[in-house]
């Protein structure tokens, strides 16, 4: 905690001392822990005991609801981060959205880097459940963006139609999308496009601000499948991420349309490397190079990414901690997908399937989006290698089935290497 | 986030220009009134419960404009919002309520005997009659800002007060979160059930938080007197029935409201009210009486007449579709109600509806006979 504070104070922003005093701590000192009986006309904030404020989670099925006990709630409800973010704000999205039919949602977000420390008593068990047993209390997360370590990664394009790697990055010292002020959001935009403007060679590109798109630009971005729209998912809108839309939101991409950055959507930045076809190795190489170059450029101006060795890269949603990385392919597996062993094979390879429309869609035809299951506890190189090895295995299975040969369920690969 | 006074002090580290919202494409009352100077003056203020300027305006920033109506673009989080942020809200109130000045006084008149007529609207044209208003419980934050604990307390107090009612007002409370399927079906077919808001105008103001916790519907046995708890306001009170007897609807409305208020006062809680703004509600558009008295009326010929809108304006009435505030009319049936809320009393506003609808039905009958209505067009009231 002291380390991240030092970074905040050393970054090139004037941080008022007042901002470091949490609002919640003042209120607790002033009121006693029971309702103040107020006669009509008095001017005080009603403070109720935590038991009167505890949300009704009986019909809920998300990670927050599974772990937020009344005791934890009571312990944390009057705390706030230095910027004033509170537990009730962090859990609002999980209270408002009891459950999703396809996937168990996380149900809480971070408003700033310090949220993960101040509310660790609820974040830690959620992180452990969501990240398949990674224990933030005693494990360390490795970061490795050295793409030269990758073996293989050139897929048969008869099967692999496209390859993509995405992650997110947050700018240390600025609040995250659920909590940021308009000025902070605009500063994120300024810092990031300033850095992206310094990219050269195949990474040279251009920024399109959502507030100033011409009709023609908008159409082009739609045709390229690059445009993102105001979130409609209540999972996002209930956490406040869509406030002030489309102020300070935008899309940057290189001229070749293989490296793309979203600004101020669900995270400060989402970074995507992609191309048609099966050259995942090149996609990852460009991903690493682009990310490291952007990092160098923001550091020149005195900024850095939010990162620590317990949680890796810090992002808004706990599901994206660690690498925040999803590396995947759109792959055609007409025979394998009908085999009853398909799900188990994916499981053992630590891969997940999605429809080609994204996280909450179903598959169409025989083409699937196959990507890494894990985010936290393994490095970028490890996860991408897992995808490469796994997809290669799936293609092998498909080819064997084409020839009428049998396939085998592979042994489960180990999770934390 | 609207809830909590988070970030406000921290925001003050940034300059006004850096925080001021981009309202270039906006068309609502807030966007018309808010200048950088007003923003600068009010940005470091909070109400006693911690509601801030950005909380007030968030819905207007997030919703640039509505196709059918000029929206207000701001909300109150508590009674004091109207005082602390008066430099922004007074001009908005003036724009919205026909030039109402900061020094004007509002009169309340819930004496139903002062209404003349209203029991003789032709039921061949007037299909149903309804009067609604809202009430806020003094000392409690409003829906954009209240915590779960406060909202539950409002529910508890409201249910206790409603359960005391007797005679024609005796009824039952249906909390949204523990409704049976059968109860839900019944409330839907009675057209009583309210659902989680979907309008972005309400969602952006934070009014749907924690849904359906603390929300419910109360109605009497005859289904002519209905109260919504913790939807867009603490209480929405509705009196309604089929046909055109607005006099009876208004009588029941006044009597029921006053009985509810008596019970609240016995428990040391009044309604939010003052002699300048009348009844204080979440949206500035509902200040004053908070009253919308209206009918569903068949006016297929009059509604297509070139002067229909002008007639409505002169009668101080407004039209809506029968689905509510942001819908279009179906089959020549309109929802016609009073346009004013602030600066005239309940009796005066319902009188406008009664007199205006009566006149318009006569006009419709004339047009049916192929006669002109030019001589009937009223002067501006």
């Amino acid at each position: 905690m002291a380390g991240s504070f030092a970074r905040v104070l050393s970054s090139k922003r004037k941080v008022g001392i007042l901002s470091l005093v949490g609002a919640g701590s003042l209120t607790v000192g002033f009121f006693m822990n029971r309702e103040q009986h107020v006669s009509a006309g008095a001017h005080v904030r009603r403070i109720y005991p935590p038991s009167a404020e505890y949300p009704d989670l009986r019909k809920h099925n998300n990670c927050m609801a599974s772990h937020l006990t009344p005791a934890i709630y009571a312990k944390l409800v009057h705390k706030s981060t230095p910027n004033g973010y509170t537990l009730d704000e962090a859990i609002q999205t999980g209270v408002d959205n009891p459950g999703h039919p396809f996937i168990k949602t996380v149900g809480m977000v971070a408003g700033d880097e310090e949220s993960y420390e101040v509310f660790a008593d609820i974040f830690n068990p959620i992180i452990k459940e969501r990240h398949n047993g990674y224990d933030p209390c005693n494990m360390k997360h490795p970061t490795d963006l050295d793409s030269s370590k990758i073996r293989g990664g050139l897929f048969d394009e008869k099967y692999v139609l496209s390859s993509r790697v995405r992650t997110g990055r947050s700018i240390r010292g600025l609040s995250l999308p659920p909590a940021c002020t308009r000025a902070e959001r605009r500063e994120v935009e300024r810092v990031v496009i300033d850095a992206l403007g310094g990219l050269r060679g195949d990474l040279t590109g251009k920024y399109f601000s959502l507030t100033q798109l011409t009709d023609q630009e908008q159409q082009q971005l739609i045709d390229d499948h690059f445009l993102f729209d105001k979130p409609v998912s209540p999972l996002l809108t209930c956490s406040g991420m869509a406030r002030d839309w489309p102020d300070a939101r935008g899309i940057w991409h290189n001229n070749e349309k293989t490296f793309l950055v979203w600004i101020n959507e669900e995270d400060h930045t989402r970074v995507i490397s992609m191309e048609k076809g099966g050259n995942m190795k090149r996609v990852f190489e460009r991903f690493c190079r682009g990310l490291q170059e952007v990092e160098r450029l923001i550091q020149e101006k005195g900024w850095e990414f939010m990162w620590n060795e317990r949680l890796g890269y810090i992002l808004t949603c706990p599901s994206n901690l660690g690498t925040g990385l999803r590396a995947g392919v759109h792959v055609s597996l007409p025979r394998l997908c009908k085999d009853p062993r398909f799900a188990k094979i994916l499981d053992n390879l630590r891969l997940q399937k999605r429809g080609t429309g994204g996280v909450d869609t179903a598959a169409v035809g025989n083409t699937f989006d196959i990507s890494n299951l894990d985010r936290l506890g393994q490095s970028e190189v490890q996860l991408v290698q897992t995808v490469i090895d796994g997809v290669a295995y799936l293609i092998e299975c498909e080819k064997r089935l084409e020839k009428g040969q049998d396939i085998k369920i592979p042994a489960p690969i180990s999770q934390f290497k | 986030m609207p809830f909590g006074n988070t970030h406000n002090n921290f925001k003050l580290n940034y300059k006004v220009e850096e925080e001021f919202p981009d309202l270039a494409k906006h068309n609502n009352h807030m966007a018309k009134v808010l200048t950088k100077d007003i923003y600068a003056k009010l940005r470091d203020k909070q109400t006693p419960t911690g509601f801030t300027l950005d909380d007030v305006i968030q819905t207007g920033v997030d919703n640039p404009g509505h196709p059918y109506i000029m929206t207000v673009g701001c909300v109150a989080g508590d009674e004091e919002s109207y005082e602390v942020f008066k430099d922004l809200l007074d001009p908005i109130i003036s724009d919205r309520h026909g030039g109402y000045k900061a020094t004007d006084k509002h009169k309340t008149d819930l004496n139903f005997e002062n209404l003349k007529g209203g029991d003789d609207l032709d039921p061949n044209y007037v299909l149903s009659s309804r009067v609604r208003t809202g009430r806020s419980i003094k000392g409690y934050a409003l829906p954009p800002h209240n915590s779960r604990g406060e909202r539950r307390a409002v529910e508890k107090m409201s249910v206790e007060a409603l359960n005391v009612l007797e005679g024609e007002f005796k009824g039952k409370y249906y909390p949204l979160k523990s409704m049976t399927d059968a109860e839900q079906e019944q409330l839907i077919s009675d057209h009583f059930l309210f659902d989680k808001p979907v309008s972005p105008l309400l969602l952006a103001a934070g009014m749907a938080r924690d849904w359906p916790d603390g929300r419910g519907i109360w109605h009497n046995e005859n289904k002519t007197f209905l109260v919504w708890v913790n939807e867009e306001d603490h209480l929405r009170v509705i009196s309604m029935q089929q046909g055109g007897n607005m006099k009876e609807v208004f009588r029941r409305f006044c009597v029921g409201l006053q009985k509810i208020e008596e019970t609240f006062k016995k428990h040391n809680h009044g309604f939010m009210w003052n002699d300048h703004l009348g009844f204080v509600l979440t949206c500035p558009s509902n200040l004053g009486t908070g009253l919308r008295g209206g009918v569903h009326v068949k006016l297929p010929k009059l509604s297509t007449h070139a002067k229909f809108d002008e007639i409505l304006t002169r009668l101080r009435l407004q039209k809506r579709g029968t689905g509510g505030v942001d819908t279009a009319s179906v089959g020549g049936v309109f929802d016609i109600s009073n346009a004013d809320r602030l600066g005239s009393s309940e009796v005066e506003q319902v009188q406008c509806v009664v007199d205006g609808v009566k006149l318009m039905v006569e006009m419709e009958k004339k047009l049916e006979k192929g006669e002109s209505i030019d001589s009937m067009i009223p002067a501006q009231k």
Side-chain angles (χ1 to χ4, degrees):
Chain A
M1 183 67 171
S4 60
F5 257 74
R7 280 197 181 90
V8 166
L9 291 171
S10 70
S11 69
K12 283 187 174 183
R13 286 189 311 110
K14 296 182 190 50
V15 177
I17 297 301
L18 196 59
S19 73
L20 295 178
V21 179
S25 56
L26 286 173
T27 338
V28 169
F30 189 58
F31 289 104
M32 291 190 284
N33 202 22
R34 59 180 160 79
E35 182 185 347
Q36 300 291 300
H37 285 286
V38 180
S39 57
H43 299 291
V44 288
R45 174 70 170 174
R46 292 185 173 273
I47 301 295
Y48 289 82
S51 55
E53 293 285 5
Y54 184 73
D56 184 348
L57 301 173
R58 287 172 295 173
K59 293 187 180 146
H60 286 59
N61 177 41
N62 55 52
C63 296
M64 180 278 291
S66 298
H67 295 283
L68 186 70
T69 61
I72 295 179
Y73 183 79
K75 183 176 174 193
L76 300 179
V77 71
H78 295 304
K79 294 201 191 318
S80 58
T81 68
N83 293 348
Y85 196 67
T86 63
L87 178 71
D88 278 325
E89 292 181 305
I91 66 172
Q92 190 69 60
T93 178
V95 175
D96 289 347
N97 296 289
H100 190 278
F102 290 175
I103 51 179
K104 184 172 184 184
T105 46
V106 174
M108 79 184 283
V109 292
D112 49 26
E113 186 166 10
E114 295 79 3
S115 295
Y116 287 107
E117 305 303 321
V118 175
F119 308 119
D121 287 330
I122 180 62
F123 272 117
N124 286 347
I126 287 175
I127 288 167
K128 192 168 176 191
E129 177 186 342
R130 182 59 182 220
H131 293 280
N132 307 314
Y134 180 85
D135 191 346
C137 298
N138 53 39
M139 291 166 76
K140 289 207 202 321
H141 170 81
T143 292
D144 184 356
L145 285 160
D146 181 358
S147 60
S148 69
K149 294 178 181 161
I150 293 292
R151 302 284 158 258
L154 274 79
F155 297 121
D156 183 340
E157 299 195 353
K158 180 177 164 205
Y159 303 92
V160 174
L161 311 173
S162 61
S163 309
R164 180 185 188 265
V165 181
R166 70 87 160 151
T167 189
R169 291 287 186 266
S170 309
I171 307 295
R172 175 159 279 158
L174 295 168
S175 304
L176 297 170
C180 64
T181 73
R182 278 182 293 274
E184 286 187 290
R185 198 185 296 113
R186 291 164 180 171
E187 185 146 41
V188 167
E189 184 188 36
R190 190 189 59 73
V191 168
V192 175
I193 63 183
D194 190 49
L196 293 169
L199 294 175
R200 297 281 171 264
D202 67 321
L203 297 177
T204 308
K206 187 177 169 193
Y207 182 63
F208 302 87
S209 152
L210 281 199
T211 58
Q212 289 157 33
L213 280 181
T214 66
D215 285 344
Q216 203 183 359
E217 287 170 338
Q218 182 167 289
Q219 195 53 54
Q220 186 61 55
L221 287 167
I222 290 172
D223 294 340
D224 291 330
H225 303 285
F226 283 177
L227 187 64
F228 63 89
D229 211 347
K230 180 170 179 173
V232 293
S233 165
L235 300 176
L236 300 185
T237 54
C238 290
S239 70
M241 292 189 220
R243 287 170 303 125
D244 313 312
W245 202 274
D247 197 318
R249 273 83 168 191
I251 294 159
W252 181 99
H253 68 76
N254 66 348
N255 296 336
E256 318 200 352
K257 301 181 184 177
T258 54
F259 192 69
L260 166 69
V261 178
W262 286 352
I263 293 177
N264 285 320
E265 192 234 12
E266 196 183 324
D267 279 293
H268 284 174
T269 69
R270 284 290 180 93
V271 180
I272 302 152
S273 171
M274 61 210 269
E275 53 185 79
K276 290 254 179 281
N279 197 339
M280 178 61 96
K281 187 173 170 64
R282 184 166 62 204
V283 166
F284 186 56
E285 181 277 324
R286 185 172 50 244
F287 176 83
C288 294
R289 185 163 45 88
L291 266 178
Q292 287 164 327
E293 188 57 11
V294 170
E295 184 164 19
R296 188 186 67 76
L297 288 161
I298 66 168
Q299 282 171 342
E300 270 178 4
K301 301 282 172 76
W303 297 92
E304 53 186 6
F305 291 142
M306 288 183 196
W307 179 93
N308 67 54
E309 65 177 6
R310 192 173 74 91
L311 299 177
Y313 287 102
I314 303 297
L315 293 174
T316 301
C317 181
S319 68
N320 284 320
L321 290 168
T323 59
L325 184 140
R326 197 170 88 81
V329 296
H330 283 187
V331 59
S332 170
L333 299 168
R335 288 167 189 73
L336 181 60
C337 71
K338 297 182 179 66
D339 192 296
R341 294 166 286 186
F342 186 40
K344 184 72 176 145
I345 293 172
L346 288 174
D347 256 0
N348 286 6
L349 293 173
R350 302 203 69 78
L351 297 175
Q352 69 171 196
K353 74 178 196 292
R354 300 181 179 191
T356 51
V359 66
D360 36 10
T361 62
V364 173
N366 304 315
T367 305
F368 290 85
D369 177 313
I370 303 287
S371 63
N372 51 299
L373 195 57
D374 302 310
R375 306 262 183 276
L376 176 60
Q378 294 181 68
S379 74
E380 291 81 355
V381 164
Q382 286 167 334
L383 291 175
V384 171
Q385 193 66 60
T386 297
V387 172
I388 286 172
D389 296 343
V391 169
Y393 190 89
L394 296 175
I395 294 174
E396 261 313 297
C397 288
E398 182 69 25
K399 286 177 171 170
R400 288 179 71 84
L401 290 171
E402 278 172 20
K403 292 185 227 156
Q405 293 167 350
D406 197 17
I407 59 173
K408 275 203 313 222
I409 298 176
I413 64 178
S414 65
Q415 183 186 342
F416 300 123
K417 303 204 167 91
Chain B
M1 284 293 278
F3 174 63
N5 64 340
T6 48
H7 329 303
N8 204 52
N9 291 339
F10 163 74
K11 248 181 244 182
L12 300 176
N13 294 317
Y14 288 94
K15 302 204 274 281
V16 168
E17 298 71 47
E18 291 169 327
E19 284 290 355
F20 192 76
D22 180 353
L23 301 173
K25 296 189 179 140
H26 286 58
N27 179 41
N28 55 51
H29 285 296
M30 181 279 291
K32 285 172 68 178
V33 168
L34 184 68
T35 60
K36 288 203 175 119
D37 284 341
I38 294 179
Y39 190 83
K41 185 172 178 195
L42 297 179
R43 69 190 294 232
D44 62 347
K45 311 248 179 301
Q46 324 180 348
T47 66
T49 68
F51 206 62
T52 65
L53 177 64
D54 277 326
D55 294 333
V56 170
I57 68 174
Q58 191 67 54
T59 180
V61 175
D62 289 347
N63 296 290
H66 191 279
Y68 293 170
I69 52 178
M70 173 81 154
T71 48
V72 175
C74 57
V75 291
D78 51 22
E79 189 167 10
E80 294 80 4
S81 298
Y82 287 104
E83 193 49 45
V84 172
F85 302 112
K86 62 197 322 324
D87 288 331
L88 171 68
L89 294 175
D90 279 351
I92 289 176
I93 288 168
S94 177
D95 261 356
R96 179 62 177 214
H97 294 282
Y100 195 77
K101 298 193 289 295
T103 49
D104 283 338
K105 295 276 182 249
H106 171 83
K107 51 184 167 28
T108 293
D109 181 0
L110 282 160
N111 192 343
F112 64 90
E113 280 159 359
N114 291 339
L115 183 71
K116 298 183 195 17
D119 52 354
D120 57 351
L121 298 174
D122 188 338
N124 292 318
Y125 294 83
V126 179
L127 308 176
S128 60
S129 308
R130 180 186 189 264
V131 180
R132 69 85 160 149
T133 189
R135 289 292 184 263
S136 308
I137 301 174
K138 205 168 174 61
Y140 289 79
L142 296 171
H145 190 44
N146 54 15
S147 69
R148 282 181 292 274
E150 285 188 286
R151 197 185 301 112
R152 290 162 178 169
V154 164
E155 183 189 35
K156 182 161 186 281
M157 281 186 287
S158 303
V159 172
E160 276 169 11
L162 293 165
N163 281 343
V164 155
L165 299 176
E166 301 253 296
E168 62 175 322
F169 296 107
K170 192 164 159 57
K172 188 177 167 193
Y173 182 66
Y174 301 87
L176 282 199
K177 68 176 175 183
S178 49
M179 212 173 268
T180 65
D181 283 346
E183 287 169 340
Q184 181 167 291
E185 280 305 310
Q186 186 60 56
L187 287 167
I188 289 173
S189 51
D190 291 331
H191 303 285
F192 283 177
L193 187 65
F194 64 91
D195 211 349
K196 180 170 180 175
V198 293
S199 165
L201 301 174
L202 300 183
L203 297 177
M207 291 190 222
R209 286 171 302 123
D210 314 314
W211 203 274
D213 195 320
R215 275 84 170 190
I217 294 161
W218 182 96
H219 69 78
N220 66 351
E221 284 166 13
N222 295 342
K223 302 180 185 179
T224 54
F225 192 74
L226 165 69
V227 179
W228 286 352
V229 179
N230 283 319
E231 193 236 13
E232 198 182 319
D233 279 292
H234 285 168
L235 301 173
R236 283 289 180 96
V237 179
I238 302 153
S239 168
M240 62 207 266
Q241 65 193 54
Q242 299 296 310
N245 194 344
M246 181 60 98
K247 191 179 183 65
E248 171 60 12
V249 168
F250 188 57
R251 181 204 64 80
R252 189 168 49 241
F253 175 82
C254 293
V255 173
L257 258 181
Q258 283 164 331
K259 285 196 191 301
I260 294 172
E261 184 162 17
E262 269 161 34
T263 315
F264 270 101
K265 281 197 174 133
K266 277 203 194 107
H267 292 97
N268 265 333
H269 295 290
F271 292 144
M272 290 183 197
W273 180 93
N274 64 60
D275 66 2
H276 167 54
L277 295 178
F279 287 103
V280 175
L281 295 173
T282 303
C283 181
S285 69
N286 283 322
L287 291 166
T289 59
L291 185 143
R292 198 170 88 81
V295 299
H296 283 188
V297 56
K298 283 196 268 199
L299 297 171
K301 290 190 160 33
L302 181 60
S303 60
T304 53
H305 191 285
K307 293 232 166 83
F308 183 47
D309 283 342
E310 192 181 335
I311 291 168
L312 286 172
T313 305
R314 290 186 182 199
L315 291 174
R316 310 198 71 81
L317 299 175
Q318 65 171 204
K319 70 176 198 274
R320 298 180 182 193
T322 51
V325 67
D326 36 7
T327 63
S329 120
V330 174
V333 180
F334 284 82
D335 176 314
I336 302 289
S337 62
N338 52 299
D340 302 318
R341 304 266 185 277
L342 179 61
S344 50
S345 72
E346 288 81 355
V347 166
E348 286 168 342
Q349 288 168 10
V350 176
Q351 194 70 63
C352 274
V353 176
V354 158
D355 296 346
V357 169
K358 191 159 184 200
L359 178 62
M360 290 197 294
V361 168
E362 280 166 30
M363 287 176 166
E364 180 72 19
K365 288 174 175 171
K366 278 255 177 177
L367 290 171
E368 278 172 18
K369 291 189 230 154
E371 292 167 16
S372 157
I373 55 166
D374 289 344
S375 58
M376 298 170 76
I377 293 180
Q380 176 68 54
K381 289 185 77 159

